[in-house]
Amino acid sequence: MNNPETFKCPCAICHKRPATRYCDYVIDCWHPQIFLRDRMRCVKENEPSYETCDVPMCEECAKNIDREIDFCPYHFELYQKAKEIPEKWKKEQARVKRQINTELLNGSD
Ligand SMILES: [Zn+2]
Ligand SMILES: [Zn+2]
């Protein structure tokens, strides 16, 4: 029988293998004002200014995004969706992106 209690930190998804990594999906960021006020402290103490999901996962269950980045299956799905917006909005999105880029290139002053 497979007892999850045998592992100190079992995988949250399959409960069969020990967790070797944590979900790196950012679920919360500091409010910009708090971030600004505490920025020096954050920089000094080298604290990240965001919170990650941190669900423990084994290698089998983790979805590897980048060399050092793994997402849990739930956040992997969200991540895939987050990249894709409805087709009908894409034209407007492209237009605004072009506008922003032009403003950045020309400068406002
Ligand atoms: Zn697992
Ligand atoms: Zn996650």
Side-chain angles (χ1 to χ4, degrees):
M1 208 177 99
N2 227 326
N3 185 358
E5 297 300 317
T6 51
F7 305 123
K8 228 192 220 163
C9 185
C11 169
I13 289 103
C14 66
H15 301 282
K16 282 179 192 155
R17 288 174 288 264
T20 53
R21 51 196 66 198
Y22 304 107
C23 175
D24 295 307
Y25 194 90
V26 176
I27 52 172
D28 202 9
C29 289
W30 296 113
H31 189 279
Q33 271 175 341
I34 297 168
F35 177 72
L36 273 181
R37 202 180 56 206
D38 283 349
R39 196 173 58 171
M40 288 319 291
R41 193 174 65 87
C42 282
V43 170
K44 253 189 251 161
E45 294 172 13
N46 208 11
E47 275 177 26
S49 54
Y50 52 85
E51 192 187 341
T52 48
C53 166
D54 291 336
V55 159
M57 304 171 290
C58 67
E59 267 178 58
E60 300 272 316
C61 296
K63 304 280 185 190
N64 190 253
I65 304 297
D66 211 336
R67 229 157 22 116
E68 307 260 304
I69 300 173
D70 296 288
F71 288 166
C72 65
Y74 174 77
H75 280 127
F76 181 72
E77 208 178 296
L78 272 188
Y79 168 74
Q80 298 284 79
K81 276 186 199 159
K83 288 197 297 185
E84 277 299 309
I85 64 163
E87 204 62 42
K88 58 183 175 181
W89 296 348
K90 281 188 179 167
K91 225 176 82 187
E92 290 299 294
Q93 183 194 41
R95 189 178 61 81
V96 168
K97 276 185 188 293
R98 264 201 309 276
Q99 202 178 313
I100 293 168
N101 281 336
T102 313
E103 277 168 21
L104 281 176
L105 279 176
N106 297 337
S108 45
D109 344 85

